[in-house]
Amino acid sequence: MLNIILFGPPGSGKGTQSESIIADYQLVHLSTGDILRDEVSRATPLGIEAKKIMDQGQLVSDEIVIGMIKSKLNEHANAKGFIFDGFPRTVAQAEALDKLMEELNTPISVLLSLEVPEEELKERLLKRGEIEGRTDDNETTIRNRIKEYLDKTQPVAGYYEAQNKLQIIDGVGAIDEIYQQIQKAIASL
Ligand code: B4P
């Protein structure tokens, strides 16, 4: 099985690159951001709570997102593999994920880390805010999201580096050129 973590700061292209990976490798796409936004759009109790946190640019609690991933993994017991997009975002989430994958007898294959400078992240997200109207794509929230990433999420890369599973991808440039680097990294596994 191929189990990929697509990792990087907000706006680094995780959602964008996931689309090509899913199409080419037939993996089940698990995006905690998409799952949370679906809860928000259906105004479920979880969605109402999550929206407040997401609009402040903070991370939703580990307990909630780990629970969401667990139930999605169980729903797709016969999958060829998974792409985790925007998860894990804390070391506690990474440890929980490793444990869940151990129960399924299929470890994480690789963490692909998309690297993009902060100025470019801000530009991309502000542009998306104008086009798509996502309420968390505004200047103050973007600043908080980047801070949360640096404080809580970046250590996840070190956690998988210690398992020799980290591969760095240059996330600046044309979308298809970045995807070619991803294909090479997957082929090297
Ligand atoms: P996410 O949905 O994961 O959103 P994101 O970090 O903004 O990345 P996204 O995938 O959407 O953007 P992409 O880089 O593809 O998280 C949203 C919120 O949900 C979090 O802030 C948090 O509150 C909560 N959350 C989610 N998961 C959680 C977890 N595990 N634990 C706790 N809380 C969690 O693209 C950005 C833009 O860049 C797009 O407009 C795209 O068109 C553009 N772009 C992409 N590649 C480009 C390129 N090469 N050049 C130019 N532009 C490019």
Side-chain angles (χ1 to χ4, degrees):
M1 259 169 99
L2 181 60
N3 300 311
I4 299 173
I5 297 173
L6 202 53
F7 184 81
S12 55
K14 301 183 294 288
T16 307
Q17 296 295 337
S18 284
E19 289 174 23
S20 309
I21 303 175
I22 303 156
D24 287 348
Y25 298 90
Q26 285 98 43
L27 304 178
V28 172
H29 181 218
L30 297 182
S31 159
T32 39
D34 286 351
I35 301 169
L36 288 166
R37 279 186 290 278
D38 178 56
E39 297 278 345
V40 172
S41 72
R42 289 187 290 117
T44 63
L46 166 58
I48 291 166
E49 206 40 52
K51 181 169 169 37
K52 289 185 215 152
I53 299 167
M54 292 164 81
D55 282 350
Q56 287 167 16
Q58 287 169 353
L59 294 181
V60 174
S61 83
D62 286 341
E63 200 189 345
I64 289 177
V65 288
I66 291 165
M68 286 179 348
I69 287 288
K70 191 172 178 182
S71 73
K72 291 284 174 190
L73 286 173
N74 290 336
E75 268 175 39
H76 297 281
N78 297 321
K80 278 187 172 181
F82 295 93
I83 171 152
F84 297 96
D85 164 3
F87 178 90
R89 259 180 160 92
T90 63
V91 171
Q93 291 180 18
E95 288 168 350
L97 176 62
D98 275 0
K99 223 162 135 206
L100 288 171
M101 299 311 277
E102 208 177 286
E103 284 165 21
L104 296 176
N105 275 321
T106 173
I108 293 297
S109 314
V110 68
L111 178 144
L112 302 173
S113 179
L114 290 163
E115 306 224 324
V116 177
E118 199 168 315
E119 272 317 302
E120 167 128 7
L121 297 173
K122 286 181 188 159
E123 262 173 46
R124 288 184 187 180
L125 293 172
L126 285 173
K127 193 165 150 201
R128 183 173 66 183
E130 279 170 24
I131 297 168
E132 295 180 16
R134 246 175 76 168
T135 53
D136 58 346
D137 283 342
N138 65 74
E139 199 135 5
T140 311
T141 309
I142 292 167
R143 204 177 313 119
N144 290 342
R145 285 159 68 191
I146 293 175
K147 186 174 182 312
E148 285 278 87
Y149 172 79
L150 295 173
D151 291 348
K152 298 179 183 163
T153 305
Q154 214 170 37
V156 172
Y159 174 87
Y160 283 102
E161 187 176 22
Q163 299 182 22
N164 281 323
K165 290 180 179 173
L166 168 67
Q167 295 225 33
I168 307 278
I169 306 289
D170 179 0
V172 180
I175 289 169
D176 56 343
E177 282 169 17
I178 297 166
Y179 183 55
Q180 283 170 21
Q181 290 181 62
I182 291 179
Q183 285 177 306
K184 263 193 206 155
I186 295 174
S188 76
L189 294 175

PDB file of all heavy atoms in Angstrom, residues 66-96:
ATOM      1  N   ILE A  66      -8.344  13.487  15.094  1.00  0.00           N
ATOM      2  CA  ILE A  66      -7.928  12.076  15.130  1.00  0.00           C
ATOM      3  C   ILE A  66      -9.178  11.179  15.013  1.00  0.00           C
ATOM      4  O   ILE A  66      -9.196  10.197  14.270  1.00  0.00           O
ATOM      5  CB  ILE A  66      -7.120  11.765  16.417  1.00  0.00           C
ATOM      6  CG1 ILE A  66      -5.760  12.480  16.372  1.00  0.00           C
ATOM      7  CG2 ILE A  66      -6.905  10.246  16.585  1.00  0.00           C
ATOM      8  CD1 ILE A  66      -5.027  12.564  17.706  1.00  0.00           C
ATOM      9  N   GLY A  67     -10.228  11.552  15.714  1.00  0.00           N
ATOM     10  CA  GLY A  67     -11.501  10.809  15.633  1.00  0.00           C
ATOM     11  C   GLY A  67     -12.037  10.786  14.207  1.00  0.00           C
ATOM     12  O   GLY A  67     -12.507   9.756  13.718  1.00  0.00           O
ATOM     13  N   MET A  68     -11.928  11.936  13.515  1.00  0.00           N
ATOM     14  CA  MET A  68     -12.432  12.020  12.132  1.00  0.00           C
ATOM     15  C   MET A  68     -11.642  11.077  11.226  1.00  0.00           C
ATOM     16  O   MET A  68     -12.200  10.360  10.407  1.00  0.00           O
ATOM     17  CB  MET A  68     -12.258  13.460  11.597  1.00  0.00           C
ATOM     18  CG  MET A  68     -13.228  14.451  12.177  1.00  0.00           C
ATOM     19  SD  MET A  68     -13.038  16.186  11.599  1.00  0.00           S
ATOM     20  CE  MET A  68     -11.522  16.260  10.751  1.00  0.00           C
ATOM     21  N   ILE A  69     -10.308  11.090  11.374  1.00  0.00           N
ATOM     22  CA  ILE A  69      -9.448  10.257  10.518  1.00  0.00           C
ATOM     23  C   ILE A  69      -9.708   8.776  10.797  1.00  0.00           C
ATOM     24  O   ILE A  69      -9.804   7.953   9.883  1.00  0.00           O
ATOM     25  CB  ILE A  69      -7.951  10.602  10.747  1.00  0.00           C
ATOM     26  CG1 ILE A  69      -7.624  11.959  10.127  1.00  0.00           C
ATOM     27  CG2 ILE A  69      -7.033   9.521  10.215  1.00  0.00           C
ATOM     28  CD1 ILE A  69      -7.588  11.996   8.598  1.00  0.00           C
ATOM     29  N   LYS A  70      -9.879   8.450  12.063  1.00  0.00           N
ATOM     30  CA  LYS A  70     -10.117   7.051  12.437  1.00  0.00           C
ATOM     31  C   LYS A  70     -11.383   6.529  11.747  1.00  0.00           C
ATOM     32  O   LYS A  70     -11.375   5.444  11.157  1.00  0.00           O
ATOM     33  CB  LYS A  70     -10.257   6.962  13.970  1.00  0.00           C
ATOM     34  CG  LYS A  70     -10.234   5.562  14.492  1.00  0.00           C
ATOM     35  CD  LYS A  70     -10.189   5.545  15.998  1.00  0.00           C
ATOM     36  CE  LYS A  70     -10.214   4.105  16.477  1.00  0.00           C
ATOM     37  NZ  LYS A  70     -10.215   4.006  17.915  1.00  0.00           N
ATOM     38  N   SER A  71     -12.444   7.302  11.783  1.00  0.00           N
ATOM     39  CA  SER A  71     -13.675   6.789  11.186  1.00  0.00           C
ATOM     40  C   SER A  71     -13.546   6.725   9.661  1.00  0.00           C
ATOM     41  O   SER A  71     -14.077   5.805   9.034  1.00  0.00           O
ATOM     42  CB  SER A  71     -14.900   7.575  11.645  1.00  0.00           C
ATOM     43  OG  SER A  71     -14.916   8.816  11.047  1.00  0.00           O
ATOM     44  N   LYS A  72     -12.808   7.648   9.050  1.00  0.00           N
ATOM     45  CA  LYS A  72     -12.623   7.589   7.581  1.00  0.00           C
ATOM     46  C   LYS A  72     -11.774   6.380   7.187  1.00  0.00           C
ATOM     47  O   LYS A  72     -12.024   5.735   6.168  1.00  0.00           O
ATOM     48  CB  LYS A  72     -11.948   8.870   7.062  1.00  0.00           C
ATOM     49  CG  LYS A  72     -12.810  10.093   7.153  1.00  0.00           C
ATOM     50  CD  LYS A  72     -13.865  10.113   6.070  1.00  0.00           C
ATOM     51  CE  LYS A  72     -14.818  11.283   6.265  1.00  0.00           C
ATOM     52  NZ  LYS A  72     -15.992  11.236   5.389  1.00  0.00           N
ATOM     53  N   LEU A  73     -10.737   6.055   7.991  1.00  0.00           N
ATOM     54  CA  LEU A  73      -9.899   4.888   7.675  1.00  0.00           C
ATOM     55  C   LEU A  73     -10.751   3.623   7.725  1.00  0.00           C
ATOM     56  O   LEU A  73     -10.646   2.741   6.873  1.00  0.00           O
ATOM     57  CB  LEU A  73      -8.732   4.771   8.666  1.00  0.00           C
ATOM     58  CG  LEU A  73      -7.577   5.766   8.508  1.00  0.00           C
ATOM     59  CD1 LEU A  73      -6.586   5.631   9.653  1.00  0.00           C
ATOM     60  CD2 LEU A  73      -6.859   5.571   7.175  1.00  0.00           C
ATOM     61  N   ASN A  74     -11.645   3.548   8.717  1.00  0.00           N
ATOM     62  CA  ASN A  74     -12.509   2.371   8.838  1.00  0.00           C
ATOM     63  C   ASN A  74     -13.482   2.263   7.670  1.00  0.00           C
ATOM     64  O   ASN A  74     -13.816   1.164   7.229  1.00  0.00           O
ATOM     65  CB  ASN A  74     -13.281   2.411  10.170  1.00  0.00           C
ATOM     66  CG  ASN A  74     -12.348   2.179  11.341  1.00  0.00           C
ATOM     67  OD1 ASN A  74     -11.282   1.569  11.196  1.00  0.00           O
ATOM     68  ND2 ASN A  74     -12.716   2.691  12.514  1.00  0.00           N
ATOM     69  N   GLU A  75     -13.919   3.417   7.146  1.00  0.00           N
ATOM     70  CA  GLU A  75     -14.860   3.422   6.009  1.00  0.00           C
ATOM     71  C   GLU A  75     -14.203   2.872   4.739  1.00  0.00           C
ATOM     72  O   GLU A  75     -14.880   2.454   3.821  1.00  0.00           O
ATOM     73  CB  GLU A  75     -15.278   4.868   5.684  1.00  0.00           C
ATOM     74  CG  GLU A  75     -16.530   5.350   6.368  1.00  0.00           C
ATOM     75  CD  GLU A  75     -16.763   6.835   6.045  1.00  0.00           C
ATOM     76  OE1 GLU A  75     -16.529   7.280   4.914  1.00  0.00           O
ATOM     77  OE2 GLU A  75     -17.150   7.545   6.994  1.00  0.00           O
ATOM     78  N   HIS A  76     -12.854   2.985   4.665  1.00  0.00           N
ATOM     79  CA  HIS A  76     -12.150   2.623   3.425  1.00  0.00           C
ATOM     80  C   HIS A  76     -11.168   1.484   3.666  1.00  0.00           C
ATOM     81  O   HIS A  76      -9.999   1.565   3.276  1.00  0.00           O
ATOM     82  CB  HIS A  76     -11.404   3.845   2.870  1.00  0.00           C
ATOM     83  CG  HIS A  76     -12.302   4.971   2.487  1.00  0.00           C
ATOM     84  ND1 HIS A  76     -13.010   4.994   1.304  1.00  0.00           N
ATOM     85  CD2 HIS A  76     -12.650   6.093   3.145  1.00  0.00           C
ATOM     86  CE1 HIS A  76     -13.739   6.104   1.249  1.00  0.00           C
ATOM     87  NE2 HIS A  76     -13.533   6.785   2.353  1.00  0.00           N
ATOM     88  N   ALA A  77     -11.648   0.430   4.293  1.00  0.00           N
ATOM     89  CA  ALA A  77     -10.772  -0.679   4.694  1.00  0.00           C
ATOM     90  C   ALA A  77     -10.090  -1.347   3.490  1.00  0.00           C
ATOM     91  O   ALA A  77      -9.003  -1.911   3.629  1.00  0.00           O
ATOM     92  CB  ALA A  77     -11.572  -1.692   5.493  1.00  0.00           C
ATOM     93  N   ASN A  78     -10.706  -1.271   2.282  1.00  0.00           N
ATOM     94  CA  ASN A  78     -10.118  -1.959   1.124  1.00  0.00           C
ATOM     95  C   ASN A  78      -9.338  -1.026   0.195  1.00  0.00           C
ATOM     96  O   ASN A  78      -9.059  -1.382  -0.953  1.00  0.00           O
ATOM     97  CB  ASN A  78     -11.222  -2.663   0.317  1.00  0.00           C
ATOM     98  CG  ASN A  78     -11.888  -3.738   1.157  1.00  0.00           C
ATOM     99  OD1 ASN A  78     -11.213  -4.450   1.915  1.00  0.00           O
ATOM    100  ND2 ASN A  78     -13.212  -3.833   1.071  1.00  0.00           N
ATOM    101  N   ALA A  79      -8.957   0.127   0.695  1.00  0.00           N
ATOM    102  CA  ALA A  79      -8.274   1.108  -0.164  1.00  0.00           C
ATOM    103  C   ALA A  79      -6.903   0.600  -0.610  1.00  0.00           C
ATOM    104  O   ALA A  79      -6.271  -0.213   0.064  1.00  0.00           O
ATOM    105  CB  ALA A  79      -8.109   2.412   0.610  1.00  0.00           C
ATOM    106  N   LYS A  80      -6.431   1.138  -1.775  1.00  0.00           N
ATOM    107  CA  LYS A  80      -5.073   0.821  -2.273  1.00  0.00           C
ATOM    108  C   LYS A  80      -4.026   1.597  -1.505  1.00  0.00           C
ATOM    109  O   LYS A  80      -2.835   1.343  -1.608  1.00  0.00           O
ATOM    110  CB  LYS A  80      -4.959   1.276  -3.729  1.00  0.00           C
ATOM    111  CG  LYS A  80      -5.519   0.331  -4.742  1.00  0.00           C
ATOM    112  CD  LYS A  80      -5.149   0.885  -6.104  1.00  0.00           C
ATOM    113  CE  LYS A  80      -5.493  -0.075  -7.213  1.00  0.00           C
ATOM    114  NZ  LYS A  80      -5.106   0.487  -8.514  1.00  0.00           N
ATOM    115  N   GLY A  81      -4.488   2.623  -0.824  1.00  0.00           N
ATOM    116  CA  GLY A  81      -3.590   3.483  -0.061  1.00  0.00           C
ATOM    117  C   GLY A  81      -4.291   4.808   0.209  1.00  0.00           C
ATOM    118  O   GLY A  81      -5.416   5.020  -0.257  1.00  0.00           O
ATOM    119  N   PHE A  82      -3.614   5.651   0.971  1.00  0.00           N
ATOM    120  CA  PHE A  82      -4.243   6.909   1.391  1.00  0.00           C
ATOM    121  C   PHE A  82      -3.323   8.085   1.125  1.00  0.00           C
ATOM    122  O   PHE A  82      -2.100   7.952   1.192  1.00  0.00           O
ATOM    123  CB  PHE A  82      -4.528   6.869   2.904  1.00  0.00           C
ATOM    124  CG  PHE A  82      -5.547   5.828   3.300  1.00  0.00           C
ATOM    125  CD1 PHE A  82      -5.143   4.548   3.691  1.00  0.00           C
ATOM    126  CD2 PHE A  82      -6.907   6.128   3.267  1.00  0.00           C
ATOM    127  CE1 PHE A  82      -6.082   3.584   4.047  1.00  0.00           C
ATOM    128  CE2 PHE A  82      -7.855   5.173   3.623  1.00  0.00           C
ATOM    129  CZ  PHE A  82      -7.444   3.898   4.013  1.00  0.00           C
ATOM    130  N   ILE A  83      -3.944   9.233   0.867  1.00  0.00           N
ATOM    131  CA  ILE A  83      -3.168  10.468   0.886  1.00  0.00           C
ATOM    132  C   ILE A  83      -3.737  11.350   1.996  1.00  0.00           C
ATOM    133  O   ILE A  83      -4.916  11.682   1.998  1.00  0.00           O
ATOM    134  CB  ILE A  83      -3.135  11.160  -0.488  1.00  0.00           C
ATOM    135  CG1 ILE A  83      -2.518  12.539  -0.357  1.00  0.00           C
ATOM    136  CG2 ILE A  83      -4.486  11.282  -1.152  1.00  0.00           C
ATOM    137  CD1 ILE A  83      -1.862  12.978  -1.607  1.00  0.00           C
ATOM    138  N   PHE A  84      -2.882  11.644   2.951  1.00  0.00           N
ATOM    139  CA  PHE A  84      -3.273  12.476   4.090  1.00  0.00           C
ATOM    140  C   PHE A  84      -2.876  13.912   3.746  1.00  0.00           C
ATOM    141  O   PHE A  84      -1.686  14.206   3.578  1.00  0.00           O
ATOM    142  CB  PHE A  84      -2.584  11.998   5.373  1.00  0.00           C
ATOM    143  CG  PHE A  84      -2.987  10.593   5.744  1.00  0.00           C
ATOM    144  CD1 PHE A  84      -2.205   9.506   5.376  1.00  0.00           C
ATOM    145  CD2 PHE A  84      -4.158  10.364   6.449  1.00  0.00           C
ATOM    146  CE1 PHE A  84      -2.583   8.211   5.695  1.00  0.00           C
ATOM    147  CE2 PHE A  84      -4.546   9.069   6.777  1.00  0.00           C
ATOM    148  CZ  PHE A  84      -3.758   7.992   6.403  1.00  0.00           C
ATOM    149  N   ASP A  85      -3.884  14.774   3.633  1.00  0.00           N
ATOM    150  CA  ASP A  85      -3.673  16.157   3.172  1.00  0.00           C
ATOM    151  C   ASP A  85      -4.049  17.092   4.327  1.00  0.00           C
ATOM    152  O   ASP A  85      -5.206  17.181   4.705  1.00  0.00           O
ATOM    153  CB  ASP A  85      -4.572  16.338   1.926  1.00  0.00           C
ATOM    154  CG  ASP A  85      -4.793  17.780   1.512  1.00  0.00           C
ATOM    155  OD1 ASP A  85      -4.220  18.691   2.130  1.00  0.00           O
ATOM    156  OD2 ASP A  85      -5.565  17.986   0.556  1.00  0.00           O
ATOM    157  N   GLY A  86      -3.024  17.741   4.909  1.00  0.00           N
ATOM    158  CA  GLY A  86      -3.296  18.644   6.039  1.00  0.00           C
ATOM    159  C   GLY A  86      -3.410  17.914   7.367  1.00  0.00           C
ATOM    160  O   GLY A  86      -3.853  18.484   8.352  1.00  0.00           O
ATOM    161  N   PHE A  87      -3.012  16.675   7.405  1.00  0.00           N
ATOM    162  CA  PHE A  87      -3.002  15.833   8.619  1.00  0.00           C
ATOM    163  C   PHE A  87      -1.815  14.888   8.513  1.00  0.00           C
ATOM    164  O   PHE A  87      -1.614  14.343   7.431  1.00  0.00           O
ATOM    165  CB  PHE A  87      -4.307  15.038   8.703  1.00  0.00           C
ATOM    166  CG  PHE A  87      -4.361  14.102   9.889  1.00  0.00           C
ATOM    167  CD1 PHE A  87      -4.872  14.541  11.103  1.00  0.00           C
ATOM    168  CD2 PHE A  87      -3.880  12.792   9.787  1.00  0.00           C
ATOM    169  CE1 PHE A  87      -4.916  13.685  12.203  1.00  0.00           C
ATOM    170  CE2 PHE A  87      -3.920  11.944  10.881  1.00  0.00           C
ATOM    171  CZ  PHE A  87      -4.436  12.390  12.087  1.00  0.00           C
ATOM    172  N   PRO A  88      -1.025  14.665   9.544  1.00  0.00           N
ATOM    173  CA  PRO A  88      -1.099  15.247  10.885  1.00  0.00           C
ATOM    174  C   PRO A  88      -0.529  16.671  10.947  1.00  0.00           C
ATOM    175  O   PRO A  88       0.394  17.004  10.212  1.00  0.00           O
ATOM    176  CB  PRO A  88      -0.245  14.294  11.717  1.00  0.00           C
ATOM    177  CG  PRO A  88       0.689  13.637  10.755  1.00  0.00           C
ATOM    178  CD  PRO A  88       0.035  13.641   9.425  1.00  0.00           C
ATOM    179  N   ARG A  89      -1.085  17.482  11.846  1.00  0.00           N
ATOM    180  CA  ARG A  89      -0.645  18.865  12.010  1.00  0.00           C
ATOM    181  C   ARG A  89       0.000  19.096  13.368  1.00  0.00           C
ATOM    182  O   ARG A  89       0.410  20.219  13.669  1.00  0.00           O
ATOM    183  CB  ARG A  89      -1.841  19.793  11.861  1.00  0.00           C
ATOM    184  CG  ARG A  89      -1.937  20.482  10.494  1.00  0.00           C
ATOM    185  CD  ARG A  89      -3.168  21.360  10.523  1.00  0.00           C
ATOM    186  NE  ARG A  89      -3.184  22.401   9.536  1.00  0.00           N
ATOM    187  CZ  ARG A  89      -3.726  22.301   8.323  1.00  0.00           C
ATOM    188  NH1 ARG A  89      -4.220  21.165   7.902  1.00  0.00           N
ATOM    189  NH2 ARG A  89      -3.751  23.343   7.525  1.00  0.00           N
ATOM    190  N   THR A  90       0.071  18.071  14.202  1.00  0.00           N
ATOM    191  CA  THR A  90       0.812  18.150  15.481  1.00  0.00           C
ATOM    192  C   THR A  90       1.511  16.798  15.663  1.00  0.00           C
ATOM    193  O   THR A  90       1.112  15.801  15.039  1.00  0.00           O
ATOM    194  CB  THR A  90      -0.130  18.361  16.699  1.00  0.00           C
ATOM    195  OG1 THR A  90      -0.994  17.218  16.805  1.00  0.00           O
ATOM    196  CG2 THR A  90      -0.966  19.624  16.575  1.00  0.00           C
ATOM    197  N   VAL A  91       2.525  16.784  16.550  1.00  0.00           N
ATOM    198  CA  VAL A  91       3.221  15.511  16.797  1.00  0.00           C
ATOM    199  C   VAL A  91       2.253  14.505  17.428  1.00  0.00           C
ATOM    200  O   VAL A  91       2.293  13.312  17.108  1.00  0.00           O
ATOM    201  CB  VAL A  91       4.485  15.733  17.665  1.00  0.00           C
ATOM    202  CG1 VAL A  91       5.085  14.414  18.104  1.00  0.00           C
ATOM    203  CG2 VAL A  91       5.526  16.543  16.884  1.00  0.00           C
ATOM    204  N   ALA A  92       1.335  14.984  18.277  1.00  0.00           N
ATOM    205  CA  ALA A  92       0.349  14.061  18.875  1.00  0.00           C
ATOM    206  C   ALA A  92      -0.518  13.423  17.783  1.00  0.00           C
ATOM    207  O   ALA A  92      -0.824  12.221  17.843  1.00  0.00           O
ATOM    208  CB  ALA A  92      -0.533  14.812  19.875  1.00  0.00           C
ATOM    209  N   GLN A  93      -0.880  14.195  16.756  1.00  0.00           N
ATOM    210  CA  GLN A  93      -1.657  13.622  15.642  1.00  0.00           C
ATOM    211  C   GLN A  93      -0.812  12.594  14.885  1.00  0.00           C
ATOM    212  O   GLN A  93      -1.310  11.560  14.443  1.00  0.00           O
ATOM    213  CB  GLN A  93      -2.124  14.717  14.685  1.00  0.00           C
ATOM    214  CG  GLN A  93      -3.191  15.646  15.265  1.00  0.00           C
ATOM    215  CD  GLN A  93      -3.649  16.729  14.275  1.00  0.00           C
ATOM    216  OE1 GLN A  93      -3.440  16.635  13.065  1.00  0.00           O
ATOM    217  NE2 GLN A  93      -4.283  17.774  14.797  1.00  0.00           N
ATOM    218  N   ALA A  94       0.492  12.882  14.727  1.00  0.00           N
ATOM    219  CA  ALA A  94       1.384  11.959  14.006  1.00  0.00           C
ATOM    220  C   ALA A  94       1.497  10.633  14.765  1.00  0.00           C
ATOM    221  O   ALA A  94       1.441   9.548  14.168  1.00  0.00           O
ATOM    222  CB  ALA A  94       2.757  12.592  13.818  1.00  0.00           C
ATOM    223  N   GLU A  95       1.636  10.730  16.074  1.00  0.00           N
ATOM    224  CA  GLU A  95       1.756   9.501  16.875  1.00  0.00           C
ATOM    225  C   GLU A  95       0.467   8.681  16.788  1.00  0.00           C
ATOM    226  O   GLU A  95       0.506   7.461  16.653  1.00  0.00           O
ATOM    227  CB  GLU A  95       2.055   9.864  18.341  1.00  0.00           C
ATOM    228  CG  GLU A  95       3.480  10.370  18.516  1.00  0.00           C
ATOM    229  CD  GLU A  95       3.753  11.027  19.878  1.00  0.00           C
ATOM    230  OE1 GLU A  95       2.785  11.273  20.629  1.00  0.00           O
ATOM    231  OE2 GLU A  95       4.920  11.299  20.160  1.00  0.00           O
ATOM    232  N   ALA A  96      -0.674   9.392  16.829  1.00  0.00           N
ATOM    233  CA  ALA A  96      -1.961   8.688  16.739  1.00  0.00           C
ATOM    234  C   ALA A  96      -2.115   8.038  15.370  1.00  0.00           C
ATOM    235  O   ALA A  96      -2.590   6.904  15.247  1.00  0.00           O
ATOM    236  CB  ALA A  96      -3.112   9.666  16.994  1.00  0.00           C
TER     237      ALA A  96
END
